[in-house]
Amino acid sequence: MILKKTRYIHISNLLKYFCSLLIFFSYSSSAYANIVKPISPTQEHSYQCIKIIKALERYHYLEKNLGNSLSSTILDTYLKRLDPGKQLFTAGDVDQLNQYKFRFDNDLKKGRLNTAFTIFNLYMTRSKERLEYILTLIKTWEKNFDFTKNESIISEIDLRQRKDDKKALYFLWKKELKNHIISMMLDDQDTDLITDRLEKIYSTRLNRLLQTNSNDIFEIFMNSVTASFDPHTQFFPPRASEDFDIHMSLSLEGIGAVLQNEYEYTKVIRLIPKGPADKSNLLMPGDKIIGVGQGIDGKIKDTIGQRIDHVVKLIRGPKNSFVRLKIIPAKKSNSIKTIQIKRERVKLEEQSAKKEIITIEQNHQTLKLGIIEIPNFYIDFNAYYRGDKDYKSTTKDVKKLLVELKNENIDGLIIDLRDNGGGSLKEANQLTGLFLKSGPVVQIKSKHRISLLYDDDPDIEYSGPLIVLINRMSASASEIFAGAIKDYQRGVIVGTRSFGKGTVQEMQSLGTGKLKLTSAKFYRVSGDSTQHLGILPDLEYPYIYKIKDTGESSLDGALPWDTISRTSYLAYKPLSLVNKKLNIAYQKRSIKDPGLNYLKKRIELASMLNEQTSLSLNLDIRKSKKKQYEQLEIDIANDYLKSIGKPLIEKIDQDNIKTDDFKKILLDQTHLVMADFIDLSKDLGFSW
């Protein structure tokens, strides 16, 4: 795509921007010492900006034109990216900055970036001031900080209000340092070493800040612009573009985690099934990474405020080496822990669909159940396009497994799509066809038309009772499959609400960079979107993952759920009565089920912690609360272990209660739901 270069800056505008810059920096005389040398955009940035805006207006699904409304959103998004914790800009600063809220639309179309750089220069100055102030406090904290005072700090960022003036900011900065020190004490760090570690952490942050260049500012601002369209639309400059290509080709070793920036943290979005992080049972979606160390005993480097590509480079490394991560767990947002994961490649054979056969005694009968676990929707495109008949794909593998299961005369089938983040749309369509007669599977709505993906094959590979098991991490292609099974009433969906990723992205080259933008949206044959809301199960289990921190609905600016017209399709016999009876039986069983009760208590405890919107800065109170929580966690675990006849524990660690244990509890429960489903299918005369 070739776009015409445009002249972009006038002398009068430069004078206006310069005057605005002086207004921002007209604080007390002491502030002048903290002002960093202003950074300006380059001509190349202006050219690239024009290209990005034209591509967004022309190709993005929403067909948005840059106007006053979007301009205001861009300013809000930019300020939130620069100052998510409301710790740098005062209420007066924001009032002053609001003069620009309707300027970005015209400026961006003409490649004018001075306003964005002016705002960033204020951010740089205030950040430098904050870090230098904290570094002075660190030298004397042991003598001057009183940890017996009944102070507190608001931990829920959304509830924070902007401070009225810089004096209030200094007070906030002192509280933040105090909280950091308490966290280190609660993490059992040696008090004698805290000062040295703090100085290294904040000195590193300051040095990193001072290394900021115009390319960094351009990337941050332009991604504030793209995020104002939707969270999956993103600009990749040359460096990040190269990293994206590496990620897509899976050519580097790592831990198998998908990450994104959230405020100053690096947040885990999802884990690659059967990858090192997934198999470790130590890392979960929603966890925030705040430090990375190399090897078994390497020093942890602070990563708060770092660009995600820097954090990714620290986490990557050679096969069989170890990386240590300091994290804030999603389910214990007021605590910190350090975990160790061994790096390795995700093995293709471990990503493939697998089957299992189990026999259960339920409802006075012996039942043989088949389980097929599908970690993702894969296909060897190279072999497929070469015309190789033996190319590997999800559908081909599952088809073989179904033949083997039918030869075993299974009574029912469970398709386990938990933690399946999606993959090939073609495979989602063809896999659905193994369980349905011919018909549409999914609707795809772009800016200009609605198209359908069909299953053209009338053959059905499996026609018995079917359950699809999903969770919060089941996304995209998983949701297309589960949605079709639900709409056709071909089977029962059990688990928890899915991820809600119902959009399609395209990658476009823009000079030396790339632009990933949202170009279409998925809809079920019923007309319901899979976007934002995801797939709601017919029978709901307790949530292992925290909804607020995971899934599409947790992303700022995510496109909404909506509907289009239902397409023509022939559904099977309604399952409403079956679903009602299955839920009644499940609820009755769950009252006495040890595993489900354990999960419910764990979730209630995590919810209680996450409902806390402030943190005490009294050390004794924090120690007491930590001890109280840990004891509650141990008591809940021991109640469960006692009920299933296992040895009791004295502390919670990675070896006694794992995420896989939670998942097994729910899979075991699904076996029982399937037994009920088989009985009901016979009683009600169901056949597919």
Side-chain angles (χ1 to χ4, degrees):
M1 181 174 62
I2 300 173
L3 299 175
K4 191 176 179 181
K5 293 184 178 180
T6 310
R7 298 284 301 181
Y8 50 91
I9 298 178
H10 300 286
I11 296 297
S12 60
N13 286 324
L14 284 175
L15 290 173
K16 289 178 184 177
Y17 293 129
F18 182 69
C19 290
S20 297
L21 186 61
L22 290 178
I23 290 171
F24 284 138
F25 294 156
S26 60
Y27 292 105
S28 64
S29 58
S30 63
Y32 287 105
N34 288 295
I35 295 177
V36 295
K37 184 178 179 180
I39 303 172
S40 301
T42 67
Q43 205 170 63
E44 181 57 36
H45 292 146
S46 294
Y47 296 148
Q48 190 78 309
C49 172
I50 294 169
K51 292 177 184 178
I52 292 169
I53 296 305
K54 286 188 175 181
L56 288 170
E57 289 190 325
R58 184 174 181 182
Y59 298 113
H60 194 276
Y61 173 80
L62 291 179
E63 300 186 87
K64 282 185 179 180
N65 288 317
L66 224 53
N68 281 348
S69 176
L70 192 55
S71 178
S72 177
T73 302
I74 289 169
L75 176 61
D76 292 341
T77 304
Y78 191 37
L79 294 182
K80 191 169 184 178
R81 286 201 171 201
L82 294 180
D83 187 20
K86 299 175 184 173
Q87 58 188 188
L88 297 174
F89 299 147
T90 64
D93 292 331
V94 174
D95 286 342
Q96 190 69 43
L97 292 169
N98 276 332
Q99 68 177 295
Y100 297 133
K101 70 191 306 180
F102 301 129
R103 182 180 292 181
F104 283 121
D105 51 340
N106 293 322
D107 281 0
L108 286 166
K109 290 176 182 178
K110 296 176 181 178
R112 295 173 183 161
L113 295 165
N114 293 67
T115 300
F117 275 66
T118 295
I119 294 170
F120 199 95
N121 284 323
L122 173 62
Y123 157 79
M124 288 275 289
T125 297
R126 195 61 57 74
S127 295
K128 180 173 180 284
E129 191 174 351
R130 171 180 171 266
L131 293 170
E132 287 178 342
Y133 175 64
I134 289 174
L135 282 166
T136 62
L137 293 177
I138 288 170
K139 298 180 186 300
T140 59
W141 73 267
E142 289 184 84
K143 181 173 66 175
N144 293 334
F145 278 20
D146 183 358
F147 294 99
T148 64
K149 292 173 69 175
N150 287 323
E151 294 179 311
S152 64
I153 187 169
I154 296 173
S155 55
E156 184 64 51
I157 289 175
D158 291 339
L159 297 179
R160 288 187 181 181
Q161 300 294 318
R162 295 255 176 223
K163 300 301 181 185
D164 292 332
D165 51 37
K166 283 177 61 179
K167 183 179 178 182
L169 283 181
Y170 275 82
F171 189 57
L172 173 63
W173 297 341
K174 186 175 181 179
K175 278 187 167 186
E176 287 175 339
L177 177 61
K178 199 171 182 181
N179 181 54
H180 193 167
I181 293 168
I182 289 174
S183 296
M184 294 174 83
M185 290 176 170
L186 294 176
D187 198 29
D188 296 326
Q189 295 196 32
D190 190 335
T191 305
D192 295 335
L193 299 176
I194 286 178
T195 300
D196 182 55
R197 287 174 180 168
L198 286 170
E199 284 183 337
K200 286 180 180 176
I201 288 171
Y202 286 96
S203 295
T204 300
R205 291 183 193 177
L206 179 59
N207 290 334
R208 197 160 58 229
L209 175 77
L210 298 176
Q211 290 169 13
T212 303
N213 59 42
S214 61
N215 290 329
D216 298 325
I217 300 173
F218 179 71
E219 180 184 351
I220 291 168
F221 176 63
M222 291 314 300
N223 274 310
S224 298
V225 174
T226 59
S228 300
F229 283 75
D230 85 290
H232 299 292
T233 295
Q234 189 175 358
F235 168 64
F236 296 91
R239 179 202 66 256
S241 177
E242 179 184 339
D243 285 345
F244 181 82
D245 290 339
I246 289 171
H247 169 71
M248 292 305 289
S249 64
L250 300 175
S251 61
L252 286 182
E253 311 291 353
I255 61 170
V258 178
L259 311 174
Q260 77 170 28
N261 279 128
E262 183 181 85
Y263 307 133
E264 293 184 297
Y265 302 111
T266 300
K267 178 178 164 183
V268 179
I269 296 300
R270 67 181 180 89
L271 303 180
I272 305 301
K274 311 303 179 184
D278 181 39
K279 291 191 289 186
S280 75
N281 280 297
L282 301 176
L283 197 65
M284 286 187 71
D287 290 350
K288 297 182 180 76
I289 298 171
I290 61 173
V292 180
Q294 305 303 320
I296 294 174
D297 54 3
K299 286 186 177 179
I300 301 286
K301 290 185 178 180
D302 172 59
T303 60
I304 294 178
Q306 278 208 36
R307 286 195 322 236
I308 193 164
D309 57 309
H310 286 171
V311 180
V312 168
K313 284 177 181 176
L314 288 173
I315 294 174
R316 285 176 179 158
K319 182 179 178 181
N320 294 327
S321 63
F322 288 91
V323 63
R324 293 164 66 236
L325 305 177
K326 180 172 281 190
I327 64 172
I328 301 174
K331 290 195 172 183
K332 302 181 191 177
S333 56
N334 62 349
S335 67
I336 294 172
K337 70 176 182 177
T338 301
I339 63 174
Q340 178 178 295
I341 298 174
K342 187 177 182 180
R343 300 180 179 104
E344 60 180 77
R345 282 187 184 273
V346 178
K347 297 173 183 175
L348 185 60
E349 60 270 21
E350 292 187 347
Q351 287 277 293
S352 301
K354 290 183 176 62
K355 81 171 193 305
E356 179 185 2
I357 298 174
I358 67 154
T359 301
I360 65 169
E361 299 288 336
Q362 182 72 1
N363 302 335
H364 309 294
Q365 59 184 327
T366 301
L367 298 172
K368 190 182 287 187
L369 307 181
I371 303 162
I372 296 180
E373 181 186 5
I374 306 176
N376 61 20
F377 287 82
Y378 51 87
I379 182 173
D380 185 345
F381 276 114
N382 291 331
Y384 174 74
Y385 288 126
R386 283 197 310 266
D388 186 347
K389 293 182 180 179
D390 294 326
Y391 70 89
K392 186 174 182 60
S393 77
T394 303
T395 305
K396 292 180 72 174
D397 288 349
V398 171
K399 193 171 183 177
K400 290 176 185 175
L401 298 177
L402 287 173
V403 171
E404 294 170 9
L405 290 172
K406 283 191 292 184
N407 289 336
E408 293 283 346
N409 296 315
I410 59 170
D411 297 294
L413 176 67
I414 297 167
I415 298 290
D416 190 349
L417 295 180
R418 290 179 298 174
D419 299 325
N420 182 319
S424 168
L425 176 60
K426 175 181 181 295
E427 288 305 304
N429 179 54
Q430 292 195 343
L431 184 74
T432 307
L434 299 182
F435 303 95
L436 302 175
K437 293 178 181 177
S438 57
V441 172
V442 64
Q443 303 186 77
I444 305 168
K445 183 176 182 286
S446 63
K447 287 171 62 173
H448 306 297
R449 66 192 182 102
I450 297 175
S451 57
L452 295 171
L453 277 186
Y454 278 90
D455 163 38
D456 294 320
D457 186 353
D459 291 338
I460 298 178
E461 293 300 321
Y462 173 77
S463 58
L466 175 67
I467 283 179
V468 180
L469 178 57
I470 60 173
N471 68 2
R472 186 59 168 165
M473 292 297 108
S474 303
S476 195
S478 296
E479 295 172 297
I480 290 171
F481 176 83
I485 297 299
K486 184 180 178 76
D487 288 337
Y488 276 91
Q489 303 196 78
R490 171 60 188 87
V492 176
I493 313 299
V494 304
T496 58
R497 174 181 159 192
S498 63
F499 194 93
K501 172 65 166 63
T503 55
V504 182
Q505 281 71 44
E506 292 180 359
M507 187 69 79
Q508 292 190 4
S509 293
L510 288 179
T512 54
K514 290 181 179 176
L515 181 66
K516 176 167 68 82
L517 53 78
T518 297
S519 58
K521 207 169 175 182
F522 291 128
Y523 291 84
R524 291 157 49 183
V525 292
S526 62
D528 289 353
S529 171
T530 58
Q531 169 63 16
H532 204 286
L533 182 63
I535 303 298
L536 300 179
D538 300 310
L539 189 154
E540 188 173 63
Y541 287 159
Y543 282 80
I544 293 177
Y545 300 113
K546 187 180 170 187
I547 287 286
K548 183 182 176 184
D549 288 337
T550 57
E552 188 77 5
S553 59
S554 71
L555 303 177
D556 287 338
L559 298 189
W561 177 87
D562 63 350
T563 63
I564 59 174
S565 297
R566 168 192 174 110
T567 191
S568 178
Y569 67 98
L570 186 61
Y572 293 93
K573 188 175 178 180
L575 287 171
S576 52
L577 180 59
V578 170
N579 291 332
K580 182 178 179 180
K581 288 179 176 293
L582 289 177
N583 272 280
I584 291 171
Y586 166 75
Q587 294 299 335
K588 192 179 295 185
R589 194 165 51 239
S590 67
I591 296 171
K592 297 180 180 180
D593 186 273
L596 288 175
N597 282 320
Y598 167 64
L599 281 181
K600 288 174 185 175
K601 289 177 183 177
R602 280 291 301 261
I603 291 164
E604 287 170 3
L605 182 58
S607 298
M608 181 182 72
L609 275 174
N610 289 316
E611 284 171 3
Q612 297 176 8
T613 57
S614 64
L615 291 171
S616 172
L617 297 179
N618 181 303
L619 182 59
D620 288 339
I621 291 175
R622 287 280 284 277
K623 282 181 177 178
S624 175
K625 285 192 173 182
K626 182 187 178 188
K627 186 177 180 181
Q628 179 186 16
Y629 170 80
E630 289 174 346
Q631 190 57 54
L632 281 170
E633 196 173 17
I634 291 167
D635 291 344
I636 291 169
N638 279 332
D639 283 346
Y640 169 60
L641 293 170
K642 183 179 179 181
S643 67
I644 60 174
K646 286 191 175 182
L648 304 188
I649 58 174
E650 295 183 359
K651 66 175 183 176
I652 298 288
D653 60 40
Q654 64 197 55
D655 295 320
N656 46 44
I657 302 288
K658 302 178 180 179
T659 306
D660 276 356
D661 295 328
F662 305 155
K663 292 174 74 174
K664 186 179 183 304
I665 288 169
L666 297 179
L667 182 57
D668 289 345
Q669 198 57 223
T670 308
H671 300 159
L672 303 178
V673 175
M674 175 56 86
D676 292 337
F677 187 20
I678 291 168
D679 277 354
L680 288 168
S681 298
K682 292 175 182 176
D683 293 344
L684 298 173
F686 272 89
S687 61
W688 290 273

